[in-house]
Amino acid sequence: MKGTWNPRPGFFLGILLASFLGAGQALPIGPVSSAVLVSGNVYYVATNGNDSNPGTAERPWRTIQKAADTLRAGDTVYIKGGTYRERVEARNSGAADNYIVYSSSPGETAVIDGAEVILPEWAGLFEVVGKSYLRISGLSIRNAGPRPHNPGLLVEDSSHIIVEGSFVSNTSDSGIAVWNSYDVTVDDNEVEGACTQGFNESISVGGTDMFEIRNNRVHHSQKEGITVKDGSSNGRVWGNTVQHTEAVGVYVDAWDKHTFNIEVFANVVHDIAANGFALASEQGGLLENIRVYNNIAYHNKWVGLHLIVCCSANHPLANIRIVNNTFAHNGDGWGGGILLENPQATGVVILNNICSQNLSFQIAVDGAVPAGNFSVAYNLIDGFRGGEDEVLGDHYVQGDPIFKDPAGGDFHILPPSPAIDSGSSAGAPDRDFEGQSRPYGAGTDIGADEYVVSGRKRVPGFPR
Protein backbone atom coordinates (compact mmCIF):
# COMPACT_ATOMS: atom_id res chain seq x y z
CA MET A 1 0.00 0.00 0.00
CA LYS A 2 0.98 3.60 -0.36
CA GLY A 3 3.72 4.70 1.99
CA THR A 4 4.94 8.22 2.66
CA TRP A 5 7.99 8.29 0.42
CA ASN A 6 9.12 11.75 -0.57
CA PRO A 7 11.35 11.27 -3.62
CA ARG A 8 13.78 13.94 -4.69
CA PRO A 9 12.86 16.13 -7.67
CA GLY A 10 13.99 14.44 -10.86
CA PHE A 11 13.17 13.37 -14.35
CA PHE A 12 10.41 11.02 -15.36
CA LEU A 13 10.52 9.41 -18.79
CA GLY A 14 7.28 8.00 -20.14
CA ILE A 15 6.35 5.98 -23.19
CA LEU A 16 2.66 5.27 -23.70
CA LEU A 17 1.52 2.25 -25.66
CA ALA A 18 -0.92 3.15 -28.41
CA SER A 19 -3.39 0.59 -27.10
CA PHE A 20 -3.57 -2.23 -24.60
CA LEU A 21 -3.38 -5.62 -26.29
CA GLY A 22 -6.04 -8.30 -26.23
CA ALA A 23 -6.20 -10.87 -23.47
CA GLY A 24 -4.48 -13.63 -25.40
CA GLN A 25 -1.41 -11.59 -26.26
CA ALA A 26 1.70 -10.65 -24.33
CA LEU A 27 2.45 -7.04 -23.55
CA PRO A 28 5.52 -5.87 -25.53
CA ILE A 29 7.37 -4.34 -22.62
CA GLY A 30 10.71 -3.50 -24.34
CA PRO A 31 13.10 -1.90 -24.07
CA VAL A 32 13.64 -3.54 -20.69
CA SER A 33 17.30 -4.50 -20.64
CA SER A 34 18.39 -8.11 -20.92
CA ALA A 35 21.81 -8.24 -22.56
CA VAL A 36 24.47 -6.08 -20.92
CA LEU A 37 27.54 -5.07 -22.87
CA VAL A 38 30.77 -4.18 -21.09
CA SER A 39 34.09 -3.30 -22.65
CA GLY A 40 36.01 -1.22 -20.15
CA ASN A 41 38.29 -1.81 -17.19
CA VAL A 42 37.84 -4.53 -14.57
CA TYR A 43 38.51 -3.57 -10.96
CA TYR A 44 38.51 -5.43 -7.66
CA VAL A 45 37.53 -4.68 -4.06
CA ALA A 46 38.49 -6.84 -1.07
CA THR A 47 38.24 -6.51 2.69
CA ASN A 48 42.05 -6.62 2.92
CA GLY A 49 42.53 -4.03 0.17
CA ASN A 50 43.49 -0.37 0.29
CA ASP A 51 41.83 2.54 -1.49
CA SER A 52 45.24 3.87 -2.47
CA ASN A 53 45.82 0.71 -4.51
CA PRO A 54 45.14 0.64 -8.28
CA GLY A 55 42.15 -1.71 -7.83
CA THR A 56 43.72 -4.69 -9.57
CA ALA A 57 43.18 -8.31 -8.58
CA GLU A 58 46.57 -8.32 -6.89
CA ARG A 59 46.14 -4.89 -5.28
CA PRO A 60 42.39 -4.36 -4.72
CA TRP A 61 40.60 -1.39 -3.22
CA ARG A 62 39.20 -1.59 0.30
CA THR A 63 35.78 0.04 -0.18
CA ILE A 64 33.00 -0.34 -2.69
CA GLN A 65 32.53 3.42 -2.60
CA LYS A 66 36.04 3.85 -4.02
CA ALA A 67 34.90 1.74 -6.96
CA ALA A 68 31.67 3.76 -7.27
CA ASP A 69 33.71 6.97 -7.42
CA THR A 70 35.99 5.55 -10.11
CA LEU A 71 33.87 3.43 -12.47
CA ARG A 72 33.07 4.81 -15.91
CA ALA A 73 30.97 3.47 -18.79
CA GLY A 74 31.91 -0.12 -19.59
CA ASP A 75 33.75 -0.77 -16.32
CA THR A 76 33.12 -3.70 -13.97
CA VAL A 77 33.98 -4.07 -10.31
CA TYR A 78 34.23 -7.53 -8.76
CA ILE A 79 33.75 -7.40 -4.99
CA LYS A 80 35.44 -10.21 -3.10
CA GLY A 81 33.55 -12.14 -0.44
CA GLY A 82 33.37 -10.57 3.00
CA THR A 83 31.51 -7.86 4.88
CA TYR A 84 31.67 -4.19 3.90
CA ARG A 85 30.30 -1.83 6.52
CA GLU A 86 29.54 1.16 4.35
CA ARG A 87 26.93 3.01 2.37
CA VAL A 88 27.38 2.91 -1.41
CA GLU A 89 26.26 5.73 -3.75
CA ALA A 90 26.63 5.20 -7.50
CA ARG A 91 28.45 8.26 -8.86
CA ASN A 92 28.54 7.69 -12.61
CA SER A 93 26.41 6.34 -15.43
CA GLY A 94 27.20 3.79 -18.06
CA ALA A 95 26.06 3.94 -21.66
CA ALA A 96 23.73 1.93 -23.87
CA ASP A 97 26.59 -0.17 -25.20
CA ASN A 98 28.69 -0.02 -22.02
CA TYR A 99 26.98 -0.72 -18.71
CA ILE A 100 28.71 -0.17 -15.39
CA VAL A 101 28.59 -3.44 -13.44
CA TYR A 102 28.78 -3.94 -9.67
CA SER A 103 29.10 -7.64 -8.89
CA SER A 104 30.21 -10.07 -6.24
CA SER A 105 33.22 -12.00 -7.43
CA PRO A 106 32.21 -15.27 -9.10
CA GLY A 107 31.51 -17.93 -6.49
CA GLU A 108 31.66 -15.43 -3.61
CA THR A 109 29.20 -13.17 -1.81
CA ALA A 110 29.95 -9.58 -0.94
CA VAL A 111 27.89 -8.37 2.04
CA ILE A 112 27.05 -4.70 2.46
CA ASP A 113 26.09 -4.42 6.12
CA GLY A 114 24.56 -1.19 7.43
CA ALA A 115 24.34 -2.21 11.10
CA GLU A 116 26.99 0.39 11.96
CA VAL A 117 25.95 2.95 9.31
CA ILE A 118 23.64 5.85 10.22
CA LEU A 119 21.77 6.59 7.01
CA PRO A 120 20.12 9.95 6.36
CA GLU A 121 16.35 9.89 6.05
CA TRP A 122 15.18 8.92 2.51
CA ALA A 123 18.55 7.27 1.77
CA GLY A 124 19.29 3.71 0.68
CA LEU A 125 22.17 1.58 1.87
CA PHE A 126 23.02 1.03 -1.81
CA GLU A 127 21.71 4.01 -3.74
CA VAL A 128 21.32 4.76 -7.45
CA VAL A 129 19.92 8.27 -8.02
CA GLY A 130 19.87 10.06 -11.36
CA LYS A 131 22.01 7.43 -13.09
CA SER A 132 21.61 5.14 -16.09
CA TYR A 133 22.92 1.88 -17.52
CA LEU A 134 23.95 0.13 -14.32
CA ARG A 135 23.84 -3.54 -13.37
CA ILE A 136 23.95 -4.63 -9.72
CA SER A 137 24.48 -8.36 -9.36
CA GLY A 138 24.87 -10.97 -6.66
CA LEU A 139 25.22 -8.75 -3.60
CA SER A 140 23.93 -9.26 -0.06
CA ILE A 141 22.55 -6.02 1.39
CA ARG A 142 21.39 -6.02 4.98
CA ASN A 143 20.56 -3.89 8.01
CA ALA A 144 19.46 -0.61 6.39
CA GLY A 145 18.38 2.02 8.93
CA PRO A 146 17.91 3.38 11.49
CA ARG A 147 15.44 5.95 10.12
CA PRO A 148 11.96 4.98 8.87
CA HIS A 149 12.71 5.54 5.18
CA ASN A 150 15.91 3.61 4.59
CA PRO A 151 15.50 0.95 1.88
CA GLY A 152 18.21 -1.59 1.29
CA LEU A 153 18.61 -0.80 -2.39
CA LEU A 154 17.16 2.41 -3.83
CA VAL A 155 16.77 3.23 -7.54
CA GLU A 156 15.38 6.72 -8.14
CA ASP A 157 15.15 9.09 -11.11
CA SER A 158 17.21 6.59 -13.08
CA SER A 159 16.98 4.54 -16.27
CA HIS A 160 18.21 1.26 -17.72
CA ILE A 161 18.96 -0.34 -14.37
CA ILE A 162 19.20 -4.08 -13.62
CA VAL A 163 19.13 -5.46 -10.07
CA GLU A 164 19.65 -9.20 -10.07
CA GLY A 165 20.61 -12.19 -8.00
CA SER A 166 20.91 -10.27 -4.74
CA PHE A 167 19.72 -10.90 -1.19
CA VAL A 168 18.27 -7.97 0.78
CA SER A 169 17.27 -8.30 4.42
CA ASN A 170 16.32 -6.37 7.56
CA THR A 171 15.53 -2.96 6.13
CA SER A 172 13.50 -0.24 7.83
CA ASP A 173 11.76 0.60 4.51
CA SER A 174 11.59 -1.43 1.28
CA GLY A 175 14.13 -4.11 0.56
CA ILE A 176 14.27 -2.88 -3.05
CA ALA A 177 12.64 0.46 -3.95
CA VAL A 178 12.26 1.85 -7.47
CA TRP A 179 10.90 5.40 -7.85
CA ASN A 180 10.27 7.67 -10.84
CA SER A 181 12.46 5.67 -13.17
CA TYR A 182 12.44 4.13 -16.64
CA ASP A 183 13.40 0.67 -17.91
CA VAL A 184 14.18 -1.14 -14.67
CA THR A 185 14.52 -4.91 -14.24
CA VAL A 186 14.42 -6.54 -10.78
CA ASP A 187 15.25 -10.18 -11.38
CA ASP A 188 15.96 -13.26 -9.26
CA ASN A 189 16.44 -11.49 -5.93
CA GLU A 190 15.44 -12.58 -2.44
CA VAL A 191 13.94 -10.05 -0.03
CA GLU A 192 13.40 -10.98 3.61
CA GLY A 193 12.44 -8.99 6.69
CA ALA A 194 11.71 -5.70 4.92
CA CYS A 195 9.71 -2.70 6.14
CA THR A 196 10.52 -3.13 9.81
CA GLN A 197 9.28 0.42 10.51
CA GLY A 198 6.07 -0.02 8.56
CA PHE A 199 6.58 2.00 5.37
CA ASN A 200 6.17 0.98 1.72
CA GLU A 201 6.64 -2.64 0.63
CA SER A 202 9.26 -5.36 0.32
CA ILE A 203 9.66 -4.56 -3.38
CA SER A 204 8.14 -1.18 -4.28
CA VAL A 205 7.80 0.22 -7.79
CA GLY A 206 6.32 3.72 -7.97
CA GLY A 207 6.05 6.20 -10.83
CA THR A 208 8.10 3.97 -13.11
CA ASP A 209 7.59 3.29 -16.82
CA MET A 210 8.77 0.12 -18.56
CA PHE A 211 9.68 -2.36 -15.84
CA GLU A 212 9.91 -6.07 -15.09
CA ILE A 213 9.72 -7.57 -11.60
CA ARG A 214 10.44 -11.26 -12.17
CA ASN A 215 11.60 -14.46 -10.49
CA ASN A 216 12.01 -12.88 -7.06
CA ARG A 217 11.37 -14.55 -3.69
CA VAL A 218 9.81 -12.31 -1.06
CA HIS A 219 8.97 -13.46 2.44
CA HIS A 220 8.56 -12.63 6.12
CA SER A 221 7.98 -8.90 5.73
CA GLN A 222 6.06 -6.49 7.95
CA LYS A 223 4.20 -5.03 4.94
CA GLU A 224 3.20 -6.02 1.40
CA GLY A 225 5.32 -8.31 -0.74
CA ILE A 226 5.45 -6.67 -4.20
CA THR A 227 3.60 -3.44 -4.98
CA VAL A 228 3.31 -1.50 -8.23
CA LYS A 229 1.83 1.95 -7.67
CA ASP A 230 1.73 5.72 -8.07
CA GLY A 231 1.56 6.12 -11.83
CA SER A 232 3.67 3.17 -12.87
CA SER A 233 2.99 1.93 -16.39
CA ASN A 234 3.89 -0.60 -19.08
CA GLY A 235 5.27 -3.29 -16.81
CA ARG A 236 5.16 -6.93 -15.87
CA VAL A 237 5.24 -8.73 -12.53
CA TRP A 238 5.84 -12.41 -13.15
CA GLY A 239 7.39 -15.59 -11.86
CA ASN A 240 7.66 -14.32 -8.29
CA THR A 241 6.95 -16.23 -5.08
CA VAL A 242 5.59 -14.27 -2.13
CA GLN A 243 4.84 -15.82 1.25
CA HIS A 244 4.43 -14.97 4.93
CA THR A 245 4.01 -11.21 4.65
CA GLU A 246 1.80 -9.21 6.97
CA ALA A 247 -0.05 -7.41 4.15
CA VAL A 248 -1.07 -8.09 0.53
CA GLY A 249 1.20 -10.46 -1.37
CA VAL A 250 1.07 -8.71 -4.77
CA TYR A 251 -0.64 -5.32 -4.90
CA VAL A 252 -1.33 -2.93 -7.77
CA ASP A 253 -2.54 0.44 -6.47
CA ALA A 254 -2.94 3.57 -8.58
CA TRP A 255 -3.02 5.77 -5.46
CA ASP A 256 -3.73 9.22 -6.98
CA LYS A 257 -2.13 8.80 -10.45
CA HIS A 258 -3.11 7.10 -13.69
CA THR A 259 -1.51 3.63 -13.45
CA PHE A 260 -1.88 1.45 -16.51
CA ASN A 261 -0.82 -1.39 -18.82
CA ILE A 262 0.42 -3.85 -16.21
CA GLU A 263 0.53 -7.64 -16.43
CA VAL A 264 0.65 -9.84 -13.32
CA PHE A 265 1.20 -13.48 -14.21
CA ALA A 266 2.75 -16.81 -13.19
CA ASN A 267 3.20 -15.73 -9.57
CA VAL A 268 2.65 -17.92 -6.50
CA VAL A 269 1.35 -16.20 -3.37
CA HIS A 270 0.61 -18.13 -0.19
CA ASP A 271 0.36 -17.89 3.57
CA ILE A 272 -0.17 -14.13 3.53
CA ALA A 273 -1.76 -12.54 6.61
CA ALA A 274 -4.14 -10.61 4.32
CA ASN A 275 -5.15 -10.84 0.63
CA GLY A 276 -3.05 -12.80 -1.82
CA PHE A 277 -3.51 -10.33 -4.70
CA ALA A 278 -5.29 -6.97 -4.67
CA LEU A 279 -6.13 -4.17 -7.11
CA ALA A 280 -7.05 -0.70 -5.91
CA SER A 281 -7.14 3.04 -6.40
CA GLU A 282 -6.71 4.27 -2.86
CA GLN A 283 -6.76 8.00 -3.65
CA GLY A 284 -8.60 8.38 -6.94
CA GLY A 285 -6.04 7.64 -9.65
CA LEU A 286 -7.35 5.56 -12.54
CA LEU A 287 -6.09 1.97 -12.52
CA GLU A 288 -6.50 0.83 -16.10
CA ASN A 289 -5.66 -2.08 -18.39
CA ILE A 290 -4.55 -4.62 -15.83
CA ARG A 291 -4.23 -8.32 -16.65
CA VAL A 292 -3.96 -10.89 -13.86
CA TYR A 293 -3.50 -14.39 -15.25
CA ASN A 294 -1.90 -17.79 -14.64
CA ASN A 295 -1.31 -17.02 -10.95
CA ILE A 296 -1.76 -19.33 -7.95
CA ALA A 297 -2.95 -18.07 -4.56
CA TYR A 298 -3.53 -20.40 -1.64
CA HIS A 299 -3.70 -20.44 2.17
CA ASN A 300 -3.99 -16.64 2.39
CA LYS A 301 -5.88 -15.23 5.36
CA TRP A 302 -8.50 -13.26 3.44
CA VAL A 303 -9.12 -13.36 -0.32
CA GLY A 304 -7.16 -14.84 -3.18
CA LEU A 305 -7.80 -11.72 -5.28
CA HIS A 306 -9.64 -8.64 -4.03
CA LEU A 307 -10.78 -5.60 -6.04
CA ILE A 308 -10.78 -3.23 -3.10
CA VAL A 309 -12.87 -0.27 -2.02
CA CYS A 310 -10.32 1.94 -0.26
CA CYS A 311 -9.53 4.58 0.86
CA SER A 312 -11.44 7.55 -0.59
CA ALA A 313 -14.77 8.25 -2.25
CA ASN A 314 -13.24 7.96 -5.72
CA HIS A 315 -11.48 4.72 -6.69
CA PRO A 316 -11.82 4.08 -10.46
CA LEU A 317 -10.70 0.85 -12.13
CA ALA A 318 -11.16 0.09 -15.84
CA ASN A 319 -10.48 -2.87 -18.12
CA ILE A 320 -9.46 -5.47 -15.56
CA ARG A 321 -9.02 -9.04 -16.76
CA ILE A 322 -8.74 -11.89 -14.23
CA VAL A 323 -8.15 -14.97 -16.34
CA ASN A 324 -6.93 -18.56 -15.82
CA ASN A 325 -5.84 -18.24 -12.21
CA THR A 326 -6.07 -20.80 -9.42
CA PHE A 327 -7.41 -19.65 -6.03
CA ALA A 328 -7.62 -22.42 -3.43
CA HIS A 329 -8.08 -22.74 0.33
CA ASN A 330 -8.04 -19.02 1.07
CA GLY A 331 -9.79 -17.62 4.15
CA ASP A 332 -9.28 -17.86 7.88
CA GLY A 333 -12.36 -16.88 9.84
CA TRP A 334 -13.56 -15.12 6.69
CA GLY A 335 -12.33 -15.01 3.12
CA GLY A 336 -12.72 -16.43 -0.34
CA GLY A 337 -11.44 -16.84 -3.86
CA ILE A 338 -12.28 -13.66 -5.83
CA LEU A 339 -14.07 -10.62 -4.42
CA LEU A 340 -15.23 -7.75 -6.63
CA GLU A 341 -16.17 -5.11 -4.07
CA ASN A 342 -15.50 -1.89 -6.00
CA PRO A 343 -18.66 -0.51 -7.67
CA GLN A 344 -16.57 1.95 -9.72
CA ALA A 345 -14.65 -0.87 -11.42
CA THR A 346 -15.72 -1.23 -15.07
CA GLY A 347 -14.84 -3.74 -17.74
CA VAL A 348 -14.02 -6.47 -15.22
CA VAL A 349 -13.70 -9.93 -16.78
CA ILE A 350 -13.49 -12.98 -14.48
CA LEU A 351 -12.85 -15.91 -16.79
CA ASN A 352 -11.46 -19.47 -16.64
CA ASN A 353 -10.45 -19.36 -12.97
CA ILE A 354 -10.41 -22.28 -10.54
CA CYS A 355 -11.91 -21.28 -7.20
CA SER A 356 -11.67 -24.27 -4.89
CA GLN A 357 -12.59 -24.69 -1.24
CA ASN A 358 -12.12 -21.08 -0.28
CA LEU A 359 -13.74 -20.45 3.08
CA SER A 360 -16.71 -18.07 2.77
CA PHE A 361 -17.23 -17.87 -0.99
CA GLN A 362 -15.61 -18.84 -4.27
CA ILE A 363 -16.51 -15.77 -6.35
CA ALA A 364 -18.41 -12.87 -4.79
CA VAL A 365 -19.61 -9.59 -6.31
CA ASP A 366 -20.83 -6.86 -4.00
CA GLY A 367 -24.47 -5.97 -4.61
CA ALA A 368 -23.52 -2.34 -5.23
CA VAL A 369 -21.54 -3.25 -8.37
CA PRO A 370 -23.70 -2.56 -11.48
CA ALA A 371 -24.40 -5.66 -13.54
CA GLY A 372 -23.02 -4.03 -16.67
CA ASN A 373 -19.62 -3.49 -15.10
CA PHE A 374 -18.46 -7.11 -15.02
CA SER A 375 -18.75 -10.55 -16.54
CA VAL A 376 -18.15 -13.91 -14.86
CA ALA A 377 -17.92 -17.01 -17.03
CA TYR A 378 -16.28 -20.40 -17.52
CA ASN A 379 -14.96 -20.69 -13.99
CA LEU A 380 -14.66 -23.90 -12.00
CA ILE A 381 -16.47 -23.63 -8.67
CA ASP A 382 -15.60 -26.11 -5.95
CA GLY A 383 -17.52 -25.43 -2.75
CA PHE A 384 -20.29 -22.95 -3.57
CA ARG A 385 -21.44 -21.49 -0.23
CA GLY A 386 -24.61 -19.76 -1.40
CA GLY A 387 -23.97 -16.48 0.38
CA GLU A 388 -25.79 -13.26 -0.49
CA ASP A 389 -23.15 -11.93 -2.91
CA GLU A 390 -21.71 -15.21 -4.17
CA VAL A 391 -22.10 -15.86 -7.89
CA LEU A 392 -21.63 -18.80 -10.20
CA GLY A 393 -21.59 -16.84 -13.45
CA ASP A 394 -22.22 -18.23 -16.92
CA HIS A 395 -21.02 -21.55 -18.31
CA TYR A 396 -19.51 -22.56 -15.00
CA VAL A 397 -18.54 -26.07 -14.01
CA GLN A 398 -18.61 -27.52 -10.52
CA GLY A 399 -16.56 -30.21 -8.85
CA ASP A 400 -13.22 -31.11 -7.37
CA PRO A 401 -10.44 -29.81 -9.68
CA ILE A 402 -8.26 -32.78 -8.63
CA PHE A 403 -5.01 -31.05 -7.82
CA LYS A 404 -1.87 -33.17 -7.80
CA ASP A 405 -0.73 -32.32 -4.26
CA PRO A 406 -2.42 -29.23 -2.82
CA ALA A 407 -1.06 -29.88 0.68
CA GLY A 408 2.42 -29.70 -0.81
CA GLY A 409 1.63 -26.63 -2.93
CA ASP A 410 1.36 -28.52 -6.23
CA PHE A 411 -1.72 -27.29 -8.11
CA HIS A 412 -1.27 -29.14 -11.37
CA ILE A 413 -4.60 -30.66 -12.36
CA LEU A 414 -5.04 -34.37 -13.02
CA PRO A 415 -7.72 -36.30 -14.92
CA PRO A 416 -10.61 -36.58 -14.64
CA SER A 417 -10.60 -32.96 -13.47
CA PRO A 418 -13.68 -31.05 -14.67
CA ALA A 419 -11.30 -28.17 -15.42
CA ILE A 420 -9.80 -30.04 -18.40
CA ASP A 421 -11.05 -28.72 -21.76
CA SER A 422 -13.87 -26.76 -20.05
CA GLY A 423 -12.61 -23.19 -20.38
CA SER A 424 -13.13 -20.53 -23.00
CA SER A 425 -10.42 -20.09 -25.63
CA ALA A 426 -11.62 -16.55 -26.31
CA GLY A 427 -9.44 -14.35 -24.13
CA ALA A 428 -7.35 -17.15 -22.61
CA PRO A 429 -3.58 -16.64 -22.45
CA ASP A 430 -1.76 -18.62 -25.12
CA ARG A 431 0.56 -20.15 -22.49
CA ASP A 432 -0.01 -21.53 -19.04
CA PHE A 433 1.70 -21.00 -15.68
CA GLU A 434 4.84 -22.87 -16.80
CA GLY A 435 4.96 -21.34 -20.25
CA GLN A 436 3.46 -24.35 -22.04
CA SER A 437 1.21 -23.77 -25.02
CA ARG A 438 -2.50 -23.45 -24.34
CA PRO A 439 -4.71 -25.17 -25.36
CA TYR A 440 -3.37 -28.68 -25.24
CA GLY A 441 -5.82 -31.30 -26.40
CA ALA A 442 -9.47 -30.73 -27.24
CA GLY A 443 -9.90 -27.39 -25.52
CA THR A 444 -8.66 -24.78 -23.08
CA ASP A 445 -8.38 -25.85 -19.45
CA ILE A 446 -9.63 -23.77 -16.56
CA GLY A 447 -7.05 -22.51 -14.07
CA ALA A 448 -3.36 -21.64 -14.17
CA ASP A 449 -2.26 -25.11 -15.35
CA GLU A 450 -2.92 -26.62 -18.78
CA TYR A 451 -2.98 -30.38 -18.30
CA VAL A 452 -0.49 -32.27 -20.49
CA VAL A 453 -0.77 -36.04 -20.79
CA SER A 454 2.97 -36.68 -20.73
CA GLY A 455 6.29 -35.04 -21.35
CA ARG A 456 5.67 -32.00 -19.18
CA LYS A 457 8.67 -29.73 -19.41
CA ARG A 458 9.29 -26.32 -18.00
CA VAL A 459 9.71 -23.73 -20.73
CA PRO A 460 13.04 -21.88 -20.44
CA GLY A 461 12.53 -18.46 -18.90
CA PHE A 462 9.70 -19.54 -16.65
CA PRO A 463 10.53 -20.01 -12.97
CA ARG A 464 8.90 -23.33 -12.23
Side-chain angles (χ1 to χ4, degrees), residues 1-2 178-179 201 203-213 224-238 240 248-255 257-264 278-282 287 290:
M1 295 181 183
K2 172 69 178 178
V178 179
W179 291 93
E201 304 87 22
I203 297 178
S204 300
V205 179
T208 294
D209 186 34
M210 297 291 186
F211 62 88
E212 287 211 45
I213 311 301
E224 293 82 0
I226 299 172
T227 294
V228 175
K229 60 185 181 180
D230 279 2
S232 292
S233 56
N234 302 315
R236 298 190 291 195
V237 179
W238 67 275
N240 304 284
V248 181
V250 176
Y251 192 26
V252 184
D253 171 28
W255 191 246
K257 300 178 183 68
H258 187 198
T259 301
F260 57 95
N261 293 357
I262 297 166
E263 292 188 317
V264 178
L279 307 178
S281 168
E282 291 193 7
L287 184 66
I290 310 299

Side-chain angles (χ1 to χ4, degrees), residues 177-237:
V178 179
W179 291 93
N180 301 333
S181 293
Y182 172 78
D183 184 12
V184 177
T185 300
V186 179
D187 181 24
D188 191 30
N189 303 283
E190 182 176 357
V191 177
E192 177 185 23
C195 309
T196 59
Q197 297 200 37
F199 291 96
N200 291 297
E201 304 87 22
S202 303
I203 297 178
S204 300
V205 179
T208 294
D209 186 34
M210 297 291 186
F211 62 88
E212 287 211 45
I213 311 301
R214 67 192 187 207
N215 302 328
N216 301 285
R217 297 159 305 285
V218 180
H219 57 98
H220 297 93
S221 169
Q222 299 299 307
K223 291 288 297 307
E224 293 82 0
I226 299 172
T227 294
V228 175
K229 60 185 181 180
D230 279 2
S232 292
S233 56
N234 302 315
R236 298 190 291 195
V237 179

Side-chain angles (χ1 to χ4, degrees), residues 377-393:
Y378 291 97
N379 299 287
L380 187 153
I381 307 298
D382 175 28
F384 185 72
R385 311 304 185 197
E388 180 179 358
D389 293 328
E390 190 168 12
V391 299
L392 291 166

